[in-house]
Amino acid sequence: GSLGDNRFRRINDFILENLDQDISLADLAKVAGISLHHFSVAFKKSTGVPPHRYLIGRRVHRAKELLLHSDQSIADIAYAVGFSSQS
């Protein structure tokens, strides 16, 4: 049912290393080494949220860190974590 610790760690590492890129569900399923459908079900079972919501949460978390600890503009931070605009 769920992803398991090692598989989830690989997925999470991939997300954190590629926040500034477009990350598709297919990309994440490929990293996990399982089918797209099975990935979606297992990810939600493991985290309690759908993959897209988890990805947005990681981006927001990283943006908060950068806002607190860098001199970058809000727009630069937004682009650095994969958002298309600062809004």
Side-chain angles (χ1 to χ4, degrees), residues 3-87:
L3 291 171
D5 292 339
N6 289 334
R7 189 172 275 163
F8 178 76
R9 194 173 3 246
R10 281 196 320 265
I11 294 163
N12 194 56
D13 289 348
F14 178 83
I15 288 171
L16 295 177
E17 292 168 7
N18 296 284
L19 279 178
D20 62 332
Q21 305 293 317
D22 285 332
I23 300 173
S24 71
L25 205 54
D27 294 332
L28 296 176
K30 185 176 181 179
V31 170
I34 55 179
S35 73
L36 191 61
H37 174 73
H38 183 71
F39 172 76
S40 295
V41 172
F43 191 92
K44 187 168 183 178
K45 189 170 188 176
S46 295
T47 64
V49 295
H52 181 68
R53 185 178 297 169
Y54 183 84
L55 175 59
I56 296 300
R58 296 292 88 211
R59 286 183 168 152
V60 168
H61 180 76
R62 181 69 179 134
K64 286 179 184 179
E65 289 176 341
L66 291 172
L67 286 168
L68 290 172
H69 304 293
S70 80
D71 294 331
Q72 292 178 288
S73 71
I74 294 172
D76 289 341
I77 290 172
Y79 295 124
V81 299
F83 290 116
S84 59
S85 73
Q86 65 190 17
S87 61

